[in-house]
Amino acid sequence: MMLQKKVLVEKMGFVESHKLMDGRLAICTVAVGFAMFALIWDYLKPFPNSRPVLIVCVLSYFFLMAILTLYTSYKEKGIFLVALQKDPAGVDPDNVLTISSYLKKYDDVYQLMVDYENGVKGSSRSGTLKHSVAKYFDENGVLCYNIYKSELKNLIDKLLNKKDD
């Protein structure tokens, strides 16, 4: 389990939301469905007869792969965790915490972006951890879990406890 998930889910009581991943899986499922249909159709009616169906299925598959690429590039944007803070009474909408990360190629500066959306008030805030990866690893290359966990927990606590404007 990723460290961020471990901190949020196990230590802070958040619930992981899988809706972002489910969107990707739905697109892939439809694309594979087109490929399977083409395979079965070609088996039942060999190539010269199945040509129009194969063309439609292949074009649909590649169109869905283009949609998948756009979905992962513009919708997911490096998001690897969407966590929900459930209302104890179950009446109010959930507060949503979205965590994404970014590390440029050949750069040591790691950026962790946390976006918090208050479900009741509709307001949102964000915070960023931006440090060298060397801060979180010792000289043997082992992750210093306590340092990383405390910084992540402080950032999230700051976002959760900040007063809405």
Side-chain angles (χ1 to χ4, degrees):
M1 184 181 274
M2 287 188 181
L3 294 176
Q4 294 85 356
K5 289 182 184 181
K6 189 173 186 175
V7 170
L8 285 172
V9 175
E10 292 178 9
K11 307 287 185 203
M12 298 181 77
F14 282 79
V15 176
E16 185 176 359
S17 173
H18 299 282
K19 288 183 181 178
L20 202 60
M21 184 68 72
D22 290 345
R24 185 190 320 176
L25 288 174
I27 295 168
C28 291
T29 301
V30 173
V32 170
F34 274 109
M36 292 299 295
F37 181 77
L39 178 72
I40 292 169
W41 191 266
D42 190 53
Y43 178 76
L44 296 175
K45 299 181 181 190
F47 175 64
N49 298 331
S50 64
R51 185 171 186 240
V53 173
L54 290 178
I55 290 172
V56 168
C57 289
V58 167
L59 290 176
S60 300
Y61 180 83
F62 285 110
F63 175 72
L64 287 168
M65 289 300 106
I67 289 175
L68 180 66
T69 302
L70 293 172
Y71 182 83
T72 55
S73 298
Y74 295 107
K75 178 78 173 162
E76 287 185 356
K77 296 182 207 170
I79 296 171
F80 59 87
L81 177 64
V82 177
L84 305 174
Q85 185 180 32
K86 298 282 187 180
D87 179 38
V91 177
D92 293 331
D94 301 331
N95 298 330
V96 180
L97 208 65
T98 305
I99 301 178
S100 59
S101 64
Y102 184 69
L103 181 65
K104 289 182 182 177
K105 192 174 186 178
Y106 306 118
D107 194 5
D108 68 326
V109 178
Y110 175 69
Q111 295 181 34
L112 182 77
M113 288 77 67
V114 179
D115 296 320
Y116 173 74
E117 184 180 333
N118 190 326
V120 177
K121 298 180 181 177
S123 62
S124 62
R125 317 183 266 279
S126 45
T128 304
L129 283 179
K130 192 173 183 180
H131 296 288
S132 171
V133 291
K135 180 177 183 176
Y136 304 114
F137 290 91
D138 65 6
E139 59 275 351
N140 296 323
V142 177
L143 177 67
C144 299
Y145 174 72
N146 291 332
I147 295 171
Y148 186 75
K149 182 181 95 172
S150 66
E151 286 210 16
L152 178 62
K153 190 167 179 358
N154 289 339
L155 176 64
I156 292 170
D157 286 339
K158 187 171 69 173
L159 287 174
L160 293 177
N161 295 329
K162 188 188 278 187
K163 299 290 181 194
D164 289 325
D165 295 334

